[in-house]
């Protein structure tokens, strides 16, 4: 019988897999470091990868989403965690006006 996983466990496992595979993968978000994220998806990753790869950001979704877009343009592989989906609307300008048009 297949093992049952929570979404949180599956997300963490996927992030760990990618972070182990590629040193250019970094995580950005509010309280994802020492606190482990609002929903504890990133719990333990700060200790495992350090502050250069698990980056606690200020409360500015528009700002850290823009930073992630710039990182991606320079060849990094940022993963952005927003506290809840509705906070992504605060970053809509970066997503729609910048990320979608870069290519």
């Amino acid at each position: 019988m297949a093992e049952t996983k929570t979404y949180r466990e599956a997300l963490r496992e996927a992030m760990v897999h990618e972070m182990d595979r590629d040193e250019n993968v970094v995580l950005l978000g509010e309280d994802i470091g020492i606190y482990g994220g609002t929903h504890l998806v990133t719990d333990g990753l700060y200790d495992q990868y350090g502050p250069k790869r698990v980056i606690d950001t200020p409360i500015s979704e528009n700002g850290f989403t823009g930073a992630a877009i710039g990182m991606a343009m320079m060849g990094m592989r940022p993963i952005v965690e927003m506290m809840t989906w509705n906070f992504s609307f605060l970053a809509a300008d970066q997503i729609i006006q910048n990320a979608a048009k870069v290519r």
Side-chain angles (χ1 to χ4, degrees):
M1 182 180 247
E3 176 187 344
T4 301
K5 291 182 187 178
T6 65
Y7 284 110
R8 172 186 5 211
E9 292 167 335
L11 286 168
R12 185 184 306 116
E13 184 178 300
M15 288 189 292
V16 166
H17 174 78
E18 289 304 308
M19 291 181 84
D20 285 346
R21 185 186 69 77
D22 185 351
E23 66 182 25
N24 288 317
V25 176
V26 296
L27 307 177
L28 290 93
E30 300 160 352
D31 291 330
I32 65 167
I34 295 170
Y35 183 71
T38 304
H39 302 285
L40 300 177
V41 173
T42 58
D43 192 32
L45 299 184
Y46 184 86
D47 293 332
Q48 188 171 350
Y49 297 102
K52 290 187 178 183
R53 296 193 60 204
V54 180
I55 304 166
D56 269 322
T57 64
I59 300 174
S60 177
E61 286 77 5
N62 202 34
F64 64 77
T65 301
I69 293 166
M71 294 167 120
M73 291 172 66
M74 299 304 296
M76 295 185 76
R77 304 262 183 210
I79 299 172
V80 174
E81 180 182 309
M82 306 252 177
M83 285 189 169
T84 59
W85 71 272
N86 53 323
F87 285 115
S88 66
F89 290 113
L90 297 169
D93 186 55
Q94 290 289 358
I95 296 165
I96 296 166
Q97 298 297 334
N98 294 326
K101 298 177 181 179
V102 166
R103 196 170 180 101

